[in-house]
Amino acid sequence: MTELAQMEFRPRPEAGEPRPWAFPAPERAGLGNGLTVLRCHRPGQQVVAVEVLLDAPLDAEPAGLDGVATIMARAFSEGTDKHTAEEFAAELERCGATLDAHADHPGVRISLEVPASRLAKALGLVADALRAPAFADSEVERLVRNRLDEIPHELANPARRAAKELSRQLFPATSRMSRPRQGTEETVAGIDAAAVRAFYERHVRPATATAVVVGDLSGIDLDALLGDTLGSWTGSSVAPRPVPPVTADDTGRVVVVDRPGAVQTQLLIGRIGPDRHDRVWPAQVLGTYCLGGTLTSRLDRVLREEKGYTYGVRAFGQVLRSAPDGTGAAMLAISGSVDTPNTGPALQDLWTVLRTLAAEGLTDAERDVAVQNLVGVAPLKYETAAAVAGTLADQVEQHLPDDYQATLYRQLATTGTVEATAAAVSAFPVDRLVTVLVGDAAQIKEPVEALGIGEVTVVAAE
């Protein structure tokens, strides 16, 4: 008898009963130094994720020093009063930890991932970085040089160049949102260690910061651990800083960033719309997904599958700054790339999709697929502690309640086709869109002008 014949064959296991799922609810507390803490116990998640949010927004950067928040964020891992930059990196490596930091419009965020067994050591390093960063002249100078080296590469990237131009077009020149998040060559070149330390001393303090801790916290006295680490960070309180409202000019127009000889045109079409505090947000998410959220969306079906103009076109909403008082805003955009000769036809078909959406609306089938993709796969999206921590940190930055994400999924599941259609049409009105095209102006300007979707101007690619 063969080995295969001797094997015992058993019935295929039956699927179990589906268990209800909801986005994890955090516990909220505070430390004696004023630091707010959100914790979320996730059994089995042996890699703990920590997010520390600092109230150091980009619009707080001093005039002429755009990018100082980014340099400060990167400098947190470049040495403390206890460790040189090399020693700090070696200590992180011994912990098996990764540490990242970045600056954006809401503030600076530090992200740590570390095995639960080494959480105490890694949190101690983060606490040292926040409490007493070295900001050594040589390290800041190196970070500035690195940032200056990055800028030409970003300008050479069509997608990044389109994003830069769209921000410049939408927002007033006096608004920080009109300028690159990480600064320009001119502003970054003026940053030194003294400027970084001054920004740190003015804006970084525990009383205005929040730490999010997510993972398997079994056997960890998190209160004691946080008290011994982040609790040692001290600083004064500060009065709330006024936040200017977001204003934008979404008059329908087209801007061509000229790149002679380009074989493709990068498209970025956008405007400013409601943030997550607006009651329309769930319907807007659903409608935008139906329009361009996946390979089966309307824009992809037409521009990719039927016409073959592109490898993919996406529609999305990205929160820029969120506030309960209505001063926040989200960027609503459509992005993709097409071959140069078909730039005009592709834009014509894209506008036809938008006009058809307004005239005929979404179908129930489109709505159902979107709900399944957005809500049905949510448990998979949040399998890791880092994914949960990142979303909780987003909620903190955007001044949302701790149960916001769980509530949003319930709202998405009950939003109807009519509501989703109305929100998508309102998000992308055909006469209120700023279109940025990065491509060969000699080939695409006239065909685009013939479409009548707005005045066309050409700017140099830099």
Side-chain angles (χ1 to χ4, degrees):
M1 182 178 295
T2 66
E3 182 178 350
L4 180 63
Q6 291 175 338
M7 291 177 64
E8 180 181 359
F9 290 94
R10 295 174 180 164
R12 183 175 63 185
E14 297 294 328
E17 290 293 325
R19 292 179 295 177
W21 179 90
F23 184 80
E27 298 178 22
R28 180 177 284 263
L31 300 184
N33 60 358
L35 179 72
T36 300
V37 177
L38 272 67
R39 72 186 75 191
C40 189
H41 175 51
R42 303 291 290 160
Q45 295 290 345
Q46 292 301 319
V47 176
V48 177
V50 180
E51 300 274 347
V52 180
L53 295 86
L54 308 176
D55 186 22
L58 297 188
D59 61 20
E61 293 178 318
L65 289 179
D66 290 357
V68 69
T70 292
I71 299 299
M72 182 190 72
R74 296 180 180 185
F76 278 127
S77 59
E78 301 299 333
T80 68
D81 62 342
K82 296 180 180 179
H83 301 289
T84 65
E86 293 78 8
E87 291 169 346
F88 191 88
E91 290 296 319
L92 276 176
E93 188 173 349
R94 290 189 187 98
C95 294
T98 60
L99 183 67
D100 296 300
H102 74 276
D104 208 335
H105 290 295
V108 171
R109 189 185 296 193
I110 299 174
S111 303
L112 171 73
E113 287 188 81
V114 62
S117 60
R118 294 167 184 169
L119 178 61
K121 178 64 175 177
L123 270 182
L125 291 170
V126 172
D128 287 342
L130 290 167
R131 177 187 56 81
F135 295 148
D137 289 350
S138 59
E139 297 298 340
V140 171
E141 289 169 3
R142 180 179 58 81
L143 292 172
V144 167
R145 290 195 303 270
N146 290 347
R147 177 66 199 130
L148 290 173
D149 288 341
E150 293 170 357
I151 293 174
H153 295 283
E154 293 170 359
L155 294 175
N157 182 297
R160 298 289 291 271
R161 182 62 183 87
K164 176 184 176 183
E165 188 63 33
L166 182 59
S167 294
R168 190 177 76 85
Q169 290 290 330
L170 278 173
F171 303 109
T174 55
S175 168
R176 182 62 181 87
M177 288 188 178
S178 70
R179 305 189 296 276
R181 286 174 169 83
Q182 299 181 76
T184 64
E185 288 184 346
E186 180 182 5
T187 62
V188 172
I191 297 171
D192 58 15
V196 172
R197 179 160 292 281
F199 189 74
Y200 164 83
E201 291 175 349
R202 191 174 298 117
H203 300 289
V204 178
R205 50 181 52 84
T208 57
T210 299
V212 179
V213 184
V214 179
D216 193 328
L217 305 177
S218 302
I220 298 175
D221 186 346
L222 191 61
D223 290 329
L225 176 55
L226 290 172
D228 292 339
T229 55
L230 293 176
S232 65
W233 173 27
T234 60
S236 61
S237 60
V238 65
R241 190 179 50 82
V243 178
V246 179
T247 59
D249 176 12
D250 63 357
T251 303
R253 59 194 184 278
V254 181
V255 179
V256 179
V257 180
D258 189 19
R259 286 216 165 153
V263 298
Q264 286 189 323
T265 300
Q266 182 72 37
L267 315 176
L268 184 58
I269 304 163
R271 63 189 298 269
I272 297 303
D275 70 357
R276 289 177 175 169
H277 288 275
D278 196 295
R279 65 168 63 184
V280 79
W281 182 263
Q284 184 173 276
V285 169
L286 197 59
T288 300
Y289 192 90
C290 292
L291 177 64
T294 183
L295 291 175
T296 60
S297 66
R298 284 203 178 188
L299 288 173
D300 254 29
R301 285 204 309 269
V302 174
L303 300 181
R304 183 179 65 90
E305 294 184 16
E306 295 178 12
K307 300 300 180 69
Y309 295 147
T310 179
Y311 290 114
V313 177
R314 290 291 172 268
F316 59 91
Q318 177 185 354
V319 175
L320 296 171
R321 192 178 67 216
S322 192
D325 62 1
T327 59
M331 176 76 77
L332 306 174
I334 298 170
S335 67
S337 59
V338 300
D339 60 318
T340 298
N342 284 310
T343 301
L347 282 174
Q348 183 176 35
D349 286 337
L350 193 155
W351 251 252
T352 298
V353 169
L354 296 179
R355 292 186 178 107
T356 301
L357 177 66
E360 301 177 3
L362 297 167
T363 66
D364 290 339
E366 287 175 309
R367 177 263 176 202
D368 293 345
V369 168
V371 169
Q372 182 180 1
N373 288 347
L374 289 169
V375 180
V377 303
L380 298 177
K381 180 179 178 181
Y382 294 108
E383 281 188 318
T384 66
V388 175
T391 295
L392 289 174
D394 289 343
Q395 292 181 175
V396 172
E397 278 187 342
Q398 296 166 23
H399 308 283
L400 297 165
D402 293 342
D403 64 349
Y404 174 80
Q405 195 67 30
T407 301
L408 176 62
Y409 282 126
R410 292 194 296 270
Q411 292 172 329
L412 288 171
T414 58
T415 298
T417 305
V418 172
E419 292 84 358
T421 297
V425 171
S426 178
F428 298 99
V430 293
D431 59 342
R432 303 294 298 181
L433 296 173
V434 178
T435 300
V436 174
L437 308 175
V438 180
D440 190 340
Q443 296 189 59
I444 66 178
K445 182 174 183 288
E446 289 187 10
V448 172
E449 284 178 328
L451 301 178
I453 59 176
E455 180 183 357
V456 179
T457 58
V458 177
V459 300
E462 298 179 4

